[in-house]
Each structure stands twice: as C-alpha cells, then as structure tokens.
C-alpha cells in the first residue's frame, strides 16, 4: 500500500522515473480502484502535456510524437525524363477593324499565355493600314459614299513554348476568338520586326543606295577574280608551250 501511494505521488508530480515495486503483490486485486485512478490521472496528464506548447520536449516522455513518412527520390530521376521539344519564337498575330475589341483580346491572349506558364517575350502594335472604299450611284459612275477602313494589328510573341502546350493554347484562342478578328500563328522573321516602324523615305533611299553599292562591289570583285583566273590560265599555257618546245629541240 505504501509503494502504491508513492507511485501515485510520483505520477501526480509529473515525475517520469518509474517506481519498481519489489514487494509481493499477490493481493493486488484489492487495490484495483486505486490503479484505475492512477491510470486515469496518467492519461489526463498525458493529454495536457501533448496539448501544451512544450509538446516537442514532453512528447518523447509520454510517446505523443507522430512519425512523418517521407519518400526519398534520387536526383537522377529528373534527368532521366525525356526532354519536351520547344518551338522557336512564335508570333500570335491579331488583326481587326474594331480597335477596342482588338486591344482587349490582345490583353486576354497575353494573360492566357502567362497563366499557362508560357514565356511571353514581348507584345507590340504595328501602324494601322487604311483602305479607302467608294460606293457608286446605281447605274452610274458618280461616287455615292466614301469610307475609310483602318486595319489594326497586334502581336504577342511567345518563346520556349513546349510542343504539349501549343495545341492547348491554339485551341483556347480559336474557341474564344471574337467576331471580326483575324488570327495567325507564324515564326518570327526579320520582316515582322521591320513592320513595327513607320517607313522613312530618307532611310529607305539610303538603304537602297547601300544595297546598290554592295551589289556593284560584288560584281567588280567577281570580274576581278575572273580576270585573274584567265591571266593565270594564259601564263600556265605559255609555260607549258615553252616546255614542249624545249623537249622538241
């Protein structure tokens, strides 16, 4: 009885060192109510400790810690995956006569590509192309009405687009294409870059002069090389003839 009281005192004080009972406990059935009280108090103290902020230190004593299972994945697993091919820089060209609709849809395409994880290099606008349309009076050649139509253009350039992302992007853009907007996907070329700027007559004339001068230089270089080759051939023929004359003598 004395040993059981000591055990109860240790558990009530929160001591973790177990008390070894060395006396004969053959009549331990008489103290079942006391052992039940000790067990309930132990479970209560364990719950209080597990819910306390010192759970990390006390969990080892009462066995309240949880084991987290982790999966080890070697680094070479990522390198073993086959690479997905990518496209060269692609221009998504949008054309339309309604400026507001075209501007709003360009913003939608830009955000769509970025949300899909596709890199958007840049987006730009080209100068509008104006077309003058005239209607004639019925049965005559007199102009009845005149209209000016402006074709606006917007471009969104995407780079490093994976082959698995291209069909999804194209189908989404085609399914949401507004009425009156023309869509085109093509590879980026130098001429597409030059279309972004308004042509300057002075720059165009200088560029034409440089092109003509370069063509003249190429032609003069080719003519000079041909003359040098003909001269070398004549010299070789004269040398061969002199050797033959020497052999005949």
């Amino acid at each position: 009885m004395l040993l059981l009281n000591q055990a109860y005192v240790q558990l009530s004080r929160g001591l973790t060192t177990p008390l070894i009972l060395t006396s004969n406990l053959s009549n331990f059935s008489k103290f079942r109510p006391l052992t039940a009280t000790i067990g309930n108090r132990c479970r209560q103290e364990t719950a209080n400790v597990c819910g306390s902020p010192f759970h990390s230190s006390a969990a080892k004593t009462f066995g309240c810690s949880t084991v987290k299972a982790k999966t080890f994945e070697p680094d070479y697993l990522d390198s073993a995956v086959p690479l997905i091919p990518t496209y060269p820089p692609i221009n998504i060209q949008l054309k339309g006569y309604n400026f507001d609709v075209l501007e709003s849809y360009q913003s939608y395409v830009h955000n769509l590509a970025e949300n899909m994880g596709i890199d958007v290099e840049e987006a730009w606008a080209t100068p509008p192309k104006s077309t003058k349309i005239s209607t004639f009076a019925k049965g005559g050649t007199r102009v009845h009405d005149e209209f000016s139509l402006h074709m606006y253009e917007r471009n969104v350039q995407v780079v490093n687009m994976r082959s698995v992302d291209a069909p999804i992007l194209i189908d989404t853009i085609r399914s949401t294409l507004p009425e009156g907007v023309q869509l085109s996907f093509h590879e980026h070329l130098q001429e597409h870059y030059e279309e972004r700027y308004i042509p300057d007559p002075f720059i165009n004339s200088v560029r034409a002069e440089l092109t003509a001068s370069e063509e003249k230089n190429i032609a003069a270089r080719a003519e000079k090389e041909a003359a040098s080759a003909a001269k070398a051939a004549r010299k070789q023929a004269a040398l061969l003839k002199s050797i033959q004359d020497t052999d005949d003598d």
Side-chain angles (χ1 to χ4, degrees), residues 88-95 122-127 129 153-158 184-198 207:
I90 299 296
N91 292 345
I92 305 176
Q93 186 183 66
L94 305 171
K95 292 183 178 182
E122 57 180 341
W124 67 88
T126 58
K129 298 179 180 180
E153 179 181 338
R154 296 293 182 271
N155 292 270
V156 178
Q157 185 182 97
V158 295
S184 175
F185 289 84
H186 50 261
E187 185 178 355
H188 181 69
L189 300 176
Q190 181 63 25
E191 59 186 22
H192 300 147
Y193 177 79
E194 295 178 355
E195 289 180 355
R196 301 169 57 178
Y197 304 99
I198 299 176
R207 186 177 300 172

Side-chain angles (χ1 to χ4, degrees), residues 92 105 109 112 169-177 183 185:
I92 305 176
Y105 193 66
V109 172
L112 174 64
L169 179 64
I170 295 175
D171 291 343
T172 305
I173 294 177
R174 290 181 59 186
S175 61
T176 58
L177 190 66
L183 175 64
F185 289 84

Side-chain angles (χ1 to χ4, degrees), residues 3 8 13 26 41 43 45 56 59 70 85 104 108 113 117 159 162 164-165 180 185 205 222 235 242:
L3 293 177
Y8 177 77
R13 293 179 179 179
S26 59
R41 183 61 183 272
R43 286 192 292 270
E45 292 294 334
S56 59
K70 295 184 179 180
S104 177
Y108 168 77
V159 296
R162 303 186 303 173
V164 295
D165 296 333
F185 289 84
S205 62
K235 184 182 293 185
S242 62

Side-chain angles (χ1 to χ4, degrees), residues 7-206:
Y8 177 77
V9 171
Q10 286 187 359
L11 290 175
S12 62
R13 293 179 179 179
L15 300 179
T16 59
T17 304
L19 180 64
I20 301 175
L21 304 179
T22 57
S23 63
N24 186 10
L25 298 179
S26 59
N27 298 325
F28 186 72
S29 59
K30 299 179 180 180
F31 306 102
R32 285 181 180 177
L34 179 61
T35 57
T37 304
I38 295 174
N40 295 333
R41 183 61 183 272
C42 181
R43 286 192 292 270
Q44 183 178 2
E45 292 294 334
T46 303
N48 295 336
V49 172
C50 292
S52 65
F54 304 97
H55 169 66
S56 59
S57 60
K60 297 181 180 179
T61 305
F62 292 93
C64 298
S65 61
T66 57
V67 179
K68 295 183 179 179
K70 295 184 179 180
T71 304
F72 173 74
E73 295 183 355
D75 296 336
Y76 64 83
L77 292 180
D78 295 335
S79 60
V81 178
L83 297 178
I84 300 177
T86 58
Y87 286 97
I90 299 296
N91 292 345
I92 305 176
Q93 186 183 66
L94 305 171
K95 292 183 178 182
Y97 294 101
N98 194 327
F99 177 82
D100 298 331
V101 173
L102 189 66
E103 192 76 11
S104 177
Y105 193 66
Q106 184 220 359
S107 177
Y108 168 77
V109 172
H110 192 146
N111 295 332
L112 174 64
E114 289 185 343
N115 292 335
M116 290 182 59
I118 302 175
D119 298 333
V120 178
E121 182 68 16
E122 57 180 341
W124 67 88
T126 58
K129 298 179 180 180
S130 300
T131 303
K132 187 176 181 181
I133 298 178
S134 302
T135 59
F136 298 93
K138 185 176 180 179
T141 58
R142 184 174 59 86
V143 176
H144 184 263
D145 288 319
E146 290 185 354
F147 304 94
S148 295
L149 298 180
H150 303 285
M151 174 67 76
Y152 302 98
E153 179 181 338
R154 296 293 182 271
N155 292 270
V156 178
Q157 185 182 97
V158 295
V159 296
N160 300 327
M161 181 171 61
R162 303 186 303 173
S163 59
V164 295
D165 296 333
I168 302 176
L169 179 64
I170 295 175
D171 291 343
T172 305
I173 294 177
R174 290 181 59 186
S175 61
T176 58
L177 190 66
E179 184 178 359
V181 177
Q182 303 176 11
L183 175 64
S184 175
F185 289 84
H186 50 261
E187 185 178 355
H188 181 69
L189 300 176
Q190 181 63 25
E191 59 186 22
H192 300 147
Y193 177 79
E194 295 178 355
E195 289 180 355
R196 301 169 57 178
Y197 304 99
I198 299 176
D200 190 345
F202 176 74
I203 295 179
N204 292 339
S205 62
V206 172

